[in-house]
Amino acid sequence: MMILGASALQVPAIKKSKELGYQIILVDYDENAVGFALADVKLVVSTLDQEEVYRQALIYQPDVVITSTSDGPVRTAAYVNEKLGKKPDLSYENALCATIKSKMRDRLKTCGVPIPEYYAVTEYEAFSEAVDRLGGDCIVKPADNAGSRGVVLLERGNFDGMSFLLKEDVYRYSRGNARNGTVMVEEYMHGPEVSVEIMVIAGEPHILAITDKYITPPPYFVELAHCEPCRLDDGTQSEIRKVAAQAVRAIGIENAPAHVEIKVTEEGPKIVELAARLGGDFITSRLVPLSTGIDMVGASVLLATGEAPDLTPKRNRGAAIHFISAGSGPNACHAGDCEPPHGQREAGRAGVITRITVPDALYEQEGVEEISLYKKPGDLVEGTRSSNDRLGHVITTGETPEQAMELGKRILAQIQVEIM
């Protein structure tokens, strides 16, 4: 099995593939990627370099090429599987729609899936016209990137009058993160945000969980907490499920996981984005198993090999993840809520980390599943503009989602981050 990506988020899929007896060919541009320790064959190659990955696949002849939690490699996997003559779980054409936001929006619009008003632009003049057409606050983001990189809120009140410099700065920031040079300008949707965790089998979406998402306040949109099961009312969750299933069918996913992000607006649920892969941020590798007992990572690997996975729920508990930010304290905000769950609204500060203190007793508390740090003293942080700026995470469980969230907040409040 050739797996594209060897980062920590890919490790659960690597381990599951090895448990099934597969020899693992790992591909990653980072020669120090943590997953390489588990590889039978290590290839230091960019997972976005489709032709080089294909060339390596011709040499090693894998039975299947997959990725786990990254968007760009979804295209590469589809491309290589098609070139190798294997029946793809997602065609290359559909993979483009699943990973390039402009193509995604066009496909969803054509299929009648609820989405915000949007424009795709490649130059500043068109960008400025799109902003004016939307008339109010708008989201600006790269058409081809992930992890909240280059995503920013452009508020109408901030650019009336002295508009040019601010609009140009926002455009330059977002376009600088756009691999293909295209920037999306979209209606700013108000309301709670969720993600829907799905396994698609023979084109039929099986919805396994709905995850509440907690996000930094504007102008940036970095996910700083997730919780399961969803706490919205049953009627709203039913509408969320319908829209998520519509989106998956529109993109054309056949046998693969899907992660659908949705805003619950006054007009009903609308698609933020869709990914033809497992959800990142440890949602599918940790939260779904902790809350439902379903092994989504194992299910996705089995599905890729042609076997039928077990999607039967085995428990109903609360599970949450809180990310440690550079603000020396929690600062997540549930989109649409007026009160952040952690009582702090400002984004994290930029600077050099001088100390991160995690009291030893926190690791032993009941319900604390994991505390992990990504950064260390001496590392530079740039506030909280993208998921790369997060410093670590805390995973907690409880009988209910409320219990899991409250425990996570208490643990996070005791972790001290000092920045100079």
Side-chain angles (χ1 to χ4, degrees):
M1 183 176 292
M2 177 178 277
I3 299 179
L4 306 184
S7 71
L9 288 175
Q10 308 276 4
V11 165
I14 298 168
K15 288 182 175 179
K16 178 56 66 172
S17 301
K18 291 186 75 72
E19 287 174 13
L20 293 173
Y22 280 86
Q23 288 187 311
I24 305 301
I25 307 161
L26 275 186
V27 180
D28 201 295
Y29 78 98
D30 180 6
E31 65 179 8
N32 297 313
V34 64
F36 274 141
L38 301 170
D40 294 293
V41 176
K42 170 183 172 179
L43 299 177
V44 182
V45 173
S46 170
T47 57
L48 303 182
D49 188 340
Q50 296 175 0
E51 294 301 334
E52 181 58 22
V53 174
Y54 173 53
R55 192 180 75 82
Q56 295 293 336
L58 288 175
I59 295 171
Y60 290 98
Q61 290 294 313
D63 293 295
V64 65
V65 181
I66 68 169
T67 190
S68 180
T69 59
S70 300
D71 284 320
V74 168
R75 293 196 297 272
T76 304
Y79 177 81
V80 174
N81 279 323
E82 279 194 3
K83 294 278 281 186
L84 292 175
K86 301 181 185 299
K87 183 180 182 301
D89 298 322
L90 184 71
S91 71
Y92 184 63
E93 179 184 355
N94 289 339
L96 294 177
C97 291
T99 56
I100 299 176
K101 295 173 180 62
S102 54
K103 293 180 180 294
M104 181 189 303
R105 287 280 185 247
D106 291 345
R107 174 72 68 82
L108 295 177
K109 182 179 181 180
T110 299
C111 294
V113 180
I115 57 173
E117 185 178 354
Y118 71 98
Y119 298 91
V121 302
T122 57
E123 56 185 25
Y124 177 75
E125 289 74 15
F127 166 79
S128 184
E129 290 175 9
V131 169
D132 291 341
R133 285 195 197 102
L134 285 174
D137 298 348
C138 54
I139 297 294
V140 182
K141 60 186 177 184
D144 184 15
N145 213 319
S148 301
R149 298 174 188 87
V151 182
V152 65
L153 172 66
L154 185 56
E155 297 179 277
R156 169 63 64 176
N158 283 351
F159 58 81
D160 278 343
M162 296 172 55
S163 63
F164 182 78
L165 285 178
L166 180 59
K167 285 165 67 176
E168 189 175 45
D169 288 345
V170 168
Y171 174 72
R172 186 183 299 112
Y173 169 67
S174 190
R175 195 178 192 281
N177 285 276
R179 297 188 183 106
N180 65 359
T182 300
V183 171
M184 303 297 295
V185 186
E186 299 183 349
E187 163 199 354
Y188 179 38
M189 297 185 290
H190 296 270
E193 185 169 336
V194 300
S195 64
V196 187
E197 323 312 331
I198 304 172
M199 292 299 299
V200 187
I201 302 176
E204 182 62 28
H206 297 262
I207 295 175
L208 307 184
I210 300 176
T211 309
D212 288 329
K213 303 174 83 67
Y214 298 83
I215 300 167
T216 56
Y220 306 107
F221 297 86
V222 182
E223 297 171 351
L224 285 186
H226 306 296
C227 182
E228 294 177 7
C230 177
R231 293 184 281 177
L232 295 173
D233 64 86
D234 291 344
T236 300
Q237 290 193 47
S238 178
E239 291 300 311
I240 289 169
R241 290 168 180 270
K242 289 178 184 177
V243 171
Q246 272 185 279
V248 165
R249 293 190 177 103
I251 295 299
I253 302 172
E254 287 295 320
N255 290 287
H259 174 75
V260 183
E261 296 177 343
I262 288 176
K263 277 270 197 176
V264 183
T265 73
E266 290 183 354
E267 294 82 30
K270 294 183 181 181
I271 299 295
V272 177
E273 291 176 13
L274 175 150
R277 55 162 174 79
L278 292 170
D281 279 0
F282 303 95
I283 291 173
T284 44
S285 62
R286 297 302 309 275
L287 297 193
V288 172
L290 287 169
S291 63
T292 71
I294 300 172
D295 179 5
M296 280 196 74
V297 174
S300 68
V301 173
L302 283 172
L303 198 56
T305 66
E307 297 187 42
D310 179 11
L311 303 179
T312 306
K314 299 169 182 62
R315 65 177 69 100
N316 182 18
R317 287 176 52 80
I321 183 168
H322 288 78
F323 291 94
I324 304 165
S325 76
S328 76
N331 59 352
C333 174
H334 193 297
D337 283 356
C338 61
E339 180 63 27
H342 308 313
Q344 184 174 329
R345 283 194 167 275
E346 64 271 17
R349 295 189 298 112
V352 176
I353 299 172
T354 58
R355 188 173 66 162
I356 303 179
T357 304
V358 182
D360 291 341
L362 299 186
Y363 293 94
E364 306 300 325
Q365 288 200 28
E366 183 178 357
V368 175
E369 301 290 333
E370 181 175 295
I371 300 175
S372 178
L373 297 178
Y374 316 149
K375 298 185 183 293
K376 62 186 184 304
D379 286 348
L380 177 67
V381 293
E382 298 183 2
T384 311
R385 294 190 174 196
S386 80
S387 59
N388 284 346
D389 296 322
R390 300 177 303 196
L391 311 185
H393 69 254
V394 176
I395 297 175
T396 52
T397 55
E399 291 299 318
T400 65
E402 289 81 6
Q403 289 181 7
M405 282 295 291
E406 287 303 315
L407 176 59
K409 286 189 285 188
R410 292 198 303 271
I411 298 300
L412 204 61
Q414 298 176 68
I415 297 174
Q416 298 299 315
V417 179
E418 295 181 7
I419 296 175
M420 293 284 289

